[in-house]
Amino acid sequence: MPELHDVVIVGSGPAGLTAAIYTARASLNPLVLEGEPSSTGDQPGGQLMLTTDVENFPGFPDGIMGPELMVNFRDQAVRFGAKMETVKASRVDVSERPFKVWVGDPDAAEPTYLAKTLIISTGAKALMLELPNETRLIGHGVSTCATCDGFFFRDQDIAVIGGGDSALEEATFLTKFASSVTIVHRRDELRASKIMQDRAMANEKIVFKWNSEVAEIVGEEKVEGLVLTDTKTGERSELAVTGMFVAIGHRPNTDLFVDQLDMKDNGYLITKSPSAATSVAGVFACGDVQDDTFRQAITAAGSGCAAAIDAERWLEANEH
Ligand code: NAP
């Protein structure tokens, strides 16, 4: 029979590792399934592993590199006794207690781990254009977060890809720093709300490039320009920019919980704010997997703390 854990944490970004620090310090010996690197951009440590400088995480007045920050989170959790497993959950069953988690063959009769409480911090993925240079140049001109990286593009010409509210919001925000922001959209009509459209169109620094897709990102070490294709004529053109913000949406990593936990229409887990409780008692969620609004490392960490305290209280109330 697999060992029964008080707390199993699935995911190891700022939310999961903060939950690990708190539950470890509460002597709950958390087990963290930190994930495995994959060709699709998954990695233990979450999205900050794909960034360079992080300047808005409090406590680091000179900034810190994203991967270094996540190593610090991990070391801090391990120091208090969190057990890390570099594996990815392949199946989760929360229909009865103890909760069951599988690693490897999801059809195996016996689960790999049993858990009295489960903290889900599997995060979300920024959708990408899937271009050859794109992942390599993240942190070197390619970004998925204007709030995080806009500051690095002071007085530069940059592009934002997408035509939804995120793209327009990011473009408007980026005009605080950039000399110009070109919104590259694949159609000639925006998906964004009218108010966001009006705001963007009234902004002198924003230029629209309609019916255009990015065919190529130019640059070896950093972004030096984009090659665009006209979606109507197929004509190619060059756009001289030093930054490309991809704002074509996010996808929460919730496949494991479909038909088991309540989700919004967009797939994000529903938590009973201000608690981290999900629709199943004893299962808590934190970080980007349940946050389609803020998506910041610090808000993820804060919600990880809340999930840990919720789990601790739940165990106490249920005769831990
Ligand atoms: P979204 O509404 O799904 O828009 C995604 C945009 O990216 C669309 O314009 C889409 O083009 C484009 N796109 C998708 N895949 C693409 C690809 N492979 N190549 C090029 N372009 C691609 O996503 P979002 O803007 O992130 O917004 C998500 C939700 O959050 C929405 O409900 C939005 O209203 C909400 N939101 C609200 C606010 C706010 O109110 N302040 C801010 C941000 C987001 P097409 O239009 O051609 O499909």
Side-chain angles (χ1 to χ4, degrees):
M1 206 46 186
E3 194 186 340
L4 176 62
H5 296 268
D6 286 331
V7 183
V8 171
I9 299 170
V10 189
S12 61
L17 292 179
T18 302
I21 292 166
Y22 271 76
T23 49
R25 290 192 78 251
S27 303
L28 294 172
N29 307 311
L31 170 69
V32 182
L33 309 185
E34 64 176 349
E36 287 172 318
S38 82
S39 57
T40 54
D42 296 330
Q43 61 282 307
Q47 295 182 73
L48 280 190
M49 298 300 285
L50 292 176
T51 60
T52 50
D53 298 277
V54 178
E55 292 191 329
N56 55 6
F57 200 90
F60 298 93
D62 300 322
I64 183 166
M65 299 301 271
E68 190 187 347
L69 179 61
M70 293 323 298
V71 168
N72 289 351
F73 267 74
R74 190 181 189 278
D75 288 350
Q76 196 170 346
V78 169
R79 178 178 153 218
F80 292 111
K83 191 171 170 223
M84 315 296 294
E85 296 276 5
T86 313
V87 296
K88 204 170 173 179
S90 55
R91 181 180 156 203
V92 172
D93 180 356
V94 296
S95 62
E96 56 179 11
R97 294 204 288 267
F99 306 121
K100 303 184 187 73
V101 181
W102 281 257
V103 165
D105 181 5
D107 298 322
E110 193 150 277
T112 320
Y113 307 106
L114 296 174
K116 291 185 193 170
T117 64
L118 205 56
I119 295 181
I120 300 166
S121 47
T122 45
K125 259 192 210 89
L127 298 179
M128 302 297 288
L129 300 172
E130 310 297 338
L131 292 167
N133 277 349
E134 197 178 26
T135 307
R136 190 169 54 79
L137 290 174
I138 286 179
H140 304 279
V142 173
S143 173
T144 56
C145 176
T147 310
C148 319
D149 298 332
F151 188 79
F152 303 119
F153 293 86
R154 201 171 277 283
D155 301 326
Q156 297 181 40
D157 296 311
I158 58 178
V160 172
I161 318 303
D165 279 328
S166 292
L168 269 57
E169 188 173 66
E170 301 231 323
T172 305
F173 174 77
L174 288 166
T175 58
K176 288 184 187 183
F177 312 100
S179 321
S180 77
V181 179
T182 303
I183 295 178
V184 179
H185 183 37
R186 61 186 177 183
R187 295 186 294 138
D188 59 4
E189 200 182 318
L190 293 165
R191 181 177 294 279
S193 54
K194 176 89 170 53
I195 184 164
M196 302 288 263
Q197 295 195 26
D198 291 347
R199 203 172 292 160
M201 288 189 180
N203 192 317
E204 284 176 359
K205 284 192 180 175
I206 295 181
V207 180
F208 287 87
K209 193 90 184 151
W210 303 107
N211 299 317
S212 299
E213 275 177 345
V214 181
E216 207 181 300
I217 305 167
V218 182
E220 278 305 310
E221 303 295 318
K222 54 186 173 51
V223 173
E224 287 164 9
L226 302 178
V227 177
L228 305 181
T229 309
D230 187 304
T231 53
K232 291 247 157 83
T233 63
E235 202 177 303
R236 283 162 82 94
S237 62
E238 285 194 16
L239 185 65
V241 288
T242 49
M244 178 180 88
F245 285 78
V246 184
I248 61 170
H250 285 80
R251 187 172 178 276
N253 299 317
T254 48
D255 289 354
L256 288 175
F257 312 105
V258 171
D259 296 332
Q260 300 200 71
L261 296 174
D262 286 355
M263 296 178 188
K264 296 188 194 174
D265 289 345
N266 60 8
Y268 284 79
L269 293 182
I270 295 175
T271 49
K272 298 172 184 164
S273 174
S275 127
T278 66
S279 51
V280 171
V283 179
F284 304 92
C286 50
D288 284 14
V289 73
Q290 51 84 59
D291 174 14
D292 56 359
T293 308
F294 301 111
R295 300 189 178 109
Q296 299 299 300
I298 188 68
T299 48
S303 70
C305 164
I309 293 173
D310 276 345
E312 188 186 345
R313 289 182 180 161
W314 191 88
L315 285 166
E316 267 167 25
N318 288 273
E319 297 174 310
H320 167 51

